[in-house]
């Protein structure tokens, strides 16, 4: 195997500013690794807008140089590739994991001073690959690209996608597929699972990880008394805010294992996720989630469950007396439903244009959701129609009409004219509809036609604009009772 090295294309001519802060943590937390050499790297898609935000000038690169760079054949100067160690609770059961098919190049300092992880996904085996091949297929990497970029455009904290390259090599799944590598950009890849791993090693490693994470994501807490407890409180707060944002747009993550919970508060892991169409709390798309553990309506409960696993890792840092540590952590954990509810309610009020608080609001919201569930109303389009001053499908139903009068009366009491304008800033017109995503991925994977994907990405880039020419992207699928998504593809 040729060991990739830095050369002109990958080095600082495009503006990389690598720091390797994670690689200075205790060695137990990672393992040095080189991306595998690949036969014939070719750019599938480059995110020029994100590159600009990161201070990277990709226009300086030839297509061949860009392909070599994002296939890990030509490493950026200053990068120091590692695979990160982590563990995790998957569907409730504890497992040792780690980056089995991801390689962290290091942290890039953006022109605005932000530090972001640059990570390849699908670039070969690592110490943590177990039986896996360390590779990824084109379709799933493009899927992550589309949905993560859609989430970013919706304003929801998320990892980003900078590039997808094909490797020119096959990957063997149920069928033979085209190999690909995704370049993921994240505030960091530190997960609840990273803490679960460290806590099972030794306290010095755990403390080093906690101090590093606080300095990186919660620097305002570095000097406060009881900083680890405050850290737990803030992580809880960010997770409550994040899952509320998911609920408010109908996003179903699909695999909320603790290794897929980022301590930064970003959405991470776009394997089996999908957006809900007809409103139902029971909605599940993941092919393996038979019990509905990660169903739409269960997401907040699961976040709390995951935070309990996180709290357990922090106990030795919270108090030398175990019972006291448990007591202080439990207090924060038990507050989670109330914190979530506050974020959710604030978001729901905006979705209905309510700018003041009234005691009856929760009931008003619930009764709309009840009607939507009963009539299988499309989640996105119902709210967007209301925002556009239109009656949604199913408006002849007397239950809807009763609700609508109540809502209009409620809006009347607001005495504000901006209600609809506010609603249009939070109720997306365009989401990544499952059938649209699939059609774009098939065109790319089967026919090497990226044009369908580019059109979809353009529609998703301004999700709150209901432009007439985007009408086709707003239609729910005609039938999707058997739409299924997959993990670890
Ligand atoms: P995920 O379902 O993507 O959250 O992955 C769970 C674990 O499986 C992580 O530790 C991944 O690194 C690992 N994994 C997934 N796919 C592969 C693969 N093709 N080769 C090696 N490890 C993998
Ligand atoms: Mg994962």
């Amino acid at each position: 195997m040729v060991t990739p090295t830095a050369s002109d294309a990958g080095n600082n001519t495009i503006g990389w500013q690598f720091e390797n802060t994670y690689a200075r943590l205790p060695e137990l937390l990672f393992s040095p690794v080189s991306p595998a050499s690949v036969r014939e790297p070719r750019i599938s898609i480059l995110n020029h807008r994100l590159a600009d935000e990161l201070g990277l000038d990709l226009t300086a690169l030839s297509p061949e140089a860009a392909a070599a760079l994002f296939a890990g054949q030509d490493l950026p100067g200053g990068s120091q590739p590692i695979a990160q160690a982590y563990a995790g609770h998957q569907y409730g059961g504890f497992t040792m994991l780690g980056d089995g098919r991801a390689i962290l190049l290091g942290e890039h300092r953006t022109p605005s001073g932000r530090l972001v992880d640059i990570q390849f996904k699908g670039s070969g085996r690592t110490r943590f690959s177990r039986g896996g091949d360390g590779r990824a297929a084109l379709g799933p990497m493009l899927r992550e690209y589309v949905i993560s970029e859609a989430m970013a455009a919706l304003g929801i904290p998320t990892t980003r996608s900078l590039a997808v390259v094909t490797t020119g090599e096959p990957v063997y799944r149920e069928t033979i597929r085209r190999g690909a590598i995704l370049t993921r950009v994240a505030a960091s890849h530190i997960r609840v699972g990273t803490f679960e791993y460290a806590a099972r090693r030794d306290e010095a490693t755990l403390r080093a990880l906690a101090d590093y994470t606080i300095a990186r994501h919660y620097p305002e807490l570095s000097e406060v008394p009881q900083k680890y407890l405050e850290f737990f409180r803030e992580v809880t707060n960010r997770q409550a805010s994040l899952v509320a944002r998911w609920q408010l747009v109908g996003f179903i993550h699909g695999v909320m294992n603790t290794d897929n919970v980022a301590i930064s508060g970003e959405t991470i892991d776009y394997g089996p996720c999908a957006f809900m169409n007809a409103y139902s709390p029971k909605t599940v798309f993941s092919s393996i989630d038979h019990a509905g553990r990660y169903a739409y309506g269960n997401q907040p409960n699961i976040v709390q469950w995951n935070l309990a696993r996180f709290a357990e890792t922090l106990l030795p840092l919270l108090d030398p007396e175990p019972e006291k540590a448990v007591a202080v952590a439990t207090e924060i954990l038990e507050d989670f439903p109330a914190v979530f509810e506050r974020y959710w309610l604030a978001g729901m009020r905006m979705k209905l244009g309510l700018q003041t608080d009234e005691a009856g609001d929760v009931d008003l919201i619930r009764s709309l959701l009840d009607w939507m569930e009963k009539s299988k109303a499309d989640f996105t389009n119902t709210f967007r129609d209301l925002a556009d001053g239109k009656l949604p499908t199913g408006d002849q139903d007397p239950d809807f009409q009763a609700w609508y009068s109540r809502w209009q009366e409620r809006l009347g009491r607001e005495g504000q004219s901006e209600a609809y304008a506010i609603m249009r800033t939070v109720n997306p017109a365009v989401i990544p509809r499952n059938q649209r995503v699939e059609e774009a991925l098939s065109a790319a994977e089967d026919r090497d036609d990226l044009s369908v994907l580019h059109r979809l990405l353009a529609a998703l880039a301004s999700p709150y604009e209901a432009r007439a020419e985007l009408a086709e992207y707003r239609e729910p699928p005609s039938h999707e009772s058997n739409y299924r998504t997959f993990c670890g593809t």
Side-chain angles (χ1 to χ4, degrees), residues 88-89 190-200 206 209-210 213-214 217-218 227-239 258-259 261-265 302-318 329 332-333:
H89 278 83
I190 301 167
R191 309 142 191 267
V192 166
T194 317
F195 280 82
E196 292 181 279
Y197 170 84
R200 279 165 179 80
L206 173 68
L209 176 67
T213 310
I214 291 170
H217 298 303
Y218 302 86
K227 71 170 176 176
Y228 302 111
L229 187 66
E230 293 313 310
F231 171 47
F232 178 53
R233 194 190 309 280
E234 276 312 307
V235 172
T236 299
N237 190 38
R238 278 195 206 175
Q239 287 296 324
T258 55
D259 50 300
V261 180
I263 302 295
S264 66
I302 289 291
V303 169
Q304 189 181 19
W305 191 91
N306 289 340
L307 288 166
R309 306 290 77 73
F310 181 47
E312 285 162 5
T313 72
L314 295 178
L315 292 177
L317 307 181
L318 296 182
I332 292 174
L333 206 52

Side-chain angles (χ1 to χ4, degrees), residues 418-437:
E418 309 92 80
Y420 289 96
I422 291 173
M423 290 173 73
R424 286 192 291 272
T425 66
V426 295
N427 291 304
V430 189
I431 55 159
R433 296 279 180 184
N434 303 326
Q435 77 279 21
R436 289 288 173 199
V437 173

Side-chain angles (χ1 to χ4, degrees), residues 86 90 97 121 184 191 253 255 257 259-260 268-270:
Y86 55 87
Q90 301 194 305
L97 296 160
K121 191 168 166 184
R184 180 156 70 180
R191 309 142 191 267
H253 183 285
V255 61
N257 296 331
D259 50 300
N260 293 331
I268 188 170
D269 197 313
Y270 287 92

Side-chain angles (χ1 to χ4, degrees), residues 84 86-87 90 96-102 121-122 124-126 128-137 144 171-173 184 191 253 255 257 259-260 268-272 288 486-489:
Q84 291 175 307
Y86 55 87
Q90 301 194 305
M96 283 299 194
L97 296 160
D99 286 333
R101 59 162 171 178
K121 191 168 166 184
R125 287 177 52 79
T126 74
F128 309 107
S129 296
R130 299 174 289 169
D133 59 5
R135 307 288 177 150
E144 169 153 352
V171 295
Y172 301 93
R173 299 293 181 259
R184 180 156 70 180
R191 309 142 191 267
H253 183 285
V255 61
N257 296 331
D259 50 300
N260 293 331
I268 188 170
D269 197 313
Y270 287 92
I288 58 171
F486 303 92
C487 299
T489 43

